[in-house]
């Protein structure tokens, strides 16, 4: 994905207006698959205490040189920076990046994770708030690991969260048939809207852990669940398989 032009950057505009003017205008999440949802912009500025236990765990497990991918308003980066970590934030929203810089984040750049040319390798890569989302589709999932080949240090870890969307589609008895879908059921389409600004439509991938793990294994990586939330959501750690 290219860097977003500001006039199509609904989320970045919402982030900037919230930070600069305390705006509470709703950021709407539109989808062909679900009812319109509201993303409260203030939650993008959450403090450590306001983060979910899963995210707090990710912060606590971070070590070394860290890359926060799709950092948004920069809440995780800010917390790690406070803790003395060398942390780099990237986002395709230059308005979000500008807001991170205004908050005192020293290393934030407008970059696309899939295009960036790394100047260094990272010991921890964070992808949080459904981190598999930016992969967009299941067929793209292998490219996540191609990126790790380049960006992750030998002993490094990717900490990524997602959820198994089956909970959305299950009937009352908990029955669910993934074959009823003509695509992987975790592939969702979204469009963000803020006032008159509408983003392009984009795909967003929710990956169940088994699917993520199988792909990781086939690309030379281990995947383990670190902790699970209440809605089939989980935090996973992905590391390189040691060469035998
Ligand atoms: N991690 C933040 C924000 C999550 S929203 C938090 O937990 O609060 C997802 C963010 O990913 C958005 O800010 C979006 O602009 C960014 N993004 C989407 N695709 C990206 C890509 N290819 N490279 C970098 N950032 C991306």
């Amino acid at each position: 994905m290219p860097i977003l032009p500001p006039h199509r950057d609904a989320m970045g505009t919402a982030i900037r207006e919230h930070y600069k003017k305390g705006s509470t205008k709703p950021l709407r999440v539109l989808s062909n698959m679900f009812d319109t949802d509201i993303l409260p912009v203030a939650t993008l500025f959450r403090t450590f205490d306001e983060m979910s236990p899963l995210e707090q765990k990710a912060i606590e497990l971070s070590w070394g040189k860290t890359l926060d991918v799709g950092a948004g308003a920069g809440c995780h980066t800010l917390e790690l920076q406070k803790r003395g970590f060398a942390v780099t934030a990237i986002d395709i929203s230059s308005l979000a990046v500008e807001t991170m810089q205004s908050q005192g984040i020293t290393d934030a750049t407008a970059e696309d994770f899939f295009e960036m040319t790394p100047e260094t390798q990272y010991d921890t890569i964070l992808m949080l708030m459904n981190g598999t989302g930016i992969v967009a589709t299941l067929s793209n999932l292998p490219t996540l690991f191609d990126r790790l080949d380049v960006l992750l240090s030998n002993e490094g870890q990717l900490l990524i969260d997602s959820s198994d969307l089956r909970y959305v589609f299950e009937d009352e008895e908990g029955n669910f048939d993934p074959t009823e879908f003509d695509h992987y059921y975790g592939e969702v389409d979204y469009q963000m809207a803020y006032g008159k600004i509408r983003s392009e439509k984009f795909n967003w991938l929710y990956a169940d852990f088994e699917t993520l793990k199988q792909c990781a294994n086939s690309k030379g990586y281990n995947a383990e669940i670190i902790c699970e939330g209440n809605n089939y959501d989980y935090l996973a750690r992905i590391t390189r398989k040691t060469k035998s």
Side-chain angles (χ1 to χ4, degrees), residues 5 28 30 39 47 53 56 74 82 98-99 119 128 132 135 159 176 179 195 200 202 208 222 226 231:
R28 286 167 296 141
L30 318 177
L39 200 166
T47 60
Q56 292 180 341
K82 274 191 206 150
E98 194 188 299
T99 308
E119 283 153 26
L128 295 176
T132 59
V135 173
L159 298 171
F176 170 67
T179 61
E200 304 276 359
F202 58 95
D208 68 278
N222 291 315
I226 299 288
N231 273 326

Side-chain angles (χ1 to χ4, degrees), residues 5-243:
H7 70 281
R8 299 307 298 263
D9 185 2
M11 189 170 186
T13 306
I15 286 174
R16 190 182 58 179
E17 290 198 0
H18 180 84
Y19 183 70
K20 282 204 166 158
K21 310 182 204 157
S23 165
T24 52
K25 227 191 298 176
L27 176 61
R28 286 167 296 141
V29 185
L30 318 177
S31 170
N32 285 324
M33 297 164 72
F34 307 115
D35 293 339
T36 297
D37 214 354
I38 302 290
L39 200 166
V41 185
T43 62
L44 296 169
F45 291 84
R46 58 206 180 277
T47 60
F48 181 76
D49 288 342
E50 292 164 345
M51 288 173 195
S52 69
L54 226 116
E55 292 177 295
Q56 292 180 341
K57 192 78 194 165
I59 296 280
E60 275 154 11
L61 289 175
S62 296
W63 65 276
K65 216 179 239 284
T66 298
L67 177 69
D68 186 4
V69 176
C75 59
H76 303 108
T77 296
L78 205 54
E79 178 62 26
L80 289 172
Q81 192 176 292
K82 274 191 206 150
R83 294 181 183 211
F85 282 85
V87 50
T88 300
I90 60 161
D91 203 287
I92 51 168
S93 163
S94 47
L95 300 175
V97 167
E98 194 188 299
T99 308
M100 285 195 263
Q101 291 163 344
S102 305
Q103 291 174 88
I105 289 176
T106 49
D107 187 359
T109 42
E111 298 243 38
D112 181 337
F113 175 65
F114 292 101
E115 317 250 300
M116 68 188 278
T117 325
E119 283 153 26
T120 182
Q121 288 188 319
Y122 298 92
D123 302 310
T124 299
I125 298 181
L126 289 180
M127 295 174 78
L128 295 176
M129 205 171 140
N130 191 49
T132 59
I134 73 170
V135 173
T137 58
L138 187 58
S139 63
N140 265 346
L141 193 52
T143 62
L144 171 64
F145 301 96
D146 297 337
R147 289 275 66 198
L148 297 187
D149 288 349
V150 182
L151 289 165
L152 203 58
S153 69
N154 269 343
E155 306 297 315
Q157 56 172 352
L158 165 67
L159 298 171
I160 186 167
D161 65 349
S162 193
S163 47
D164 185 341
L165 269 204
R166 63 172 292 151
Y167 80 94
V168 175
F169 305 111
E170 272 175 357
D171 66 18
E172 284 103 60
E173 280 94 52
N175 298 316
F176 170 67
D177 180 6
T179 61
E180 279 174 13
F181 292 76
D182 59 2
H183 55 88
Y184 173 60
Y185 64 89
E187 288 174 347
V188 169
D189 73 286
Y190 281 141
Q191 184 179 31
M192 310 295 287
Y194 181 74
K196 290 197 175 103
I197 303 179
R198 281 197 178 214
S199 76
E200 304 276 359
K201 291 190 174 137
F202 58 95
N203 291 109
W204 195 247
L205 176 68
Y206 292 83
D208 68 278
F209 178 69
E210 266 319 302
T211 299
L212 182 65
K213 184 180 172 184
Q214 274 177 26
C215 188
N217 291 164
S218 74
K219 299 288 279 182
Y221 289 83
N222 291 315
E224 57 180 318
I225 288 198
I226 299 288
C227 56
E228 287 176 281
N230 297 330
N231 273 326
Y232 295 98
D233 49 329
Y234 63 87
L235 174 70
R237 170 161 44 199
I238 290 174
T239 49
R240 262 195 197 102
K241 282 185 193 165
T242 42
K243 293 198 177 77

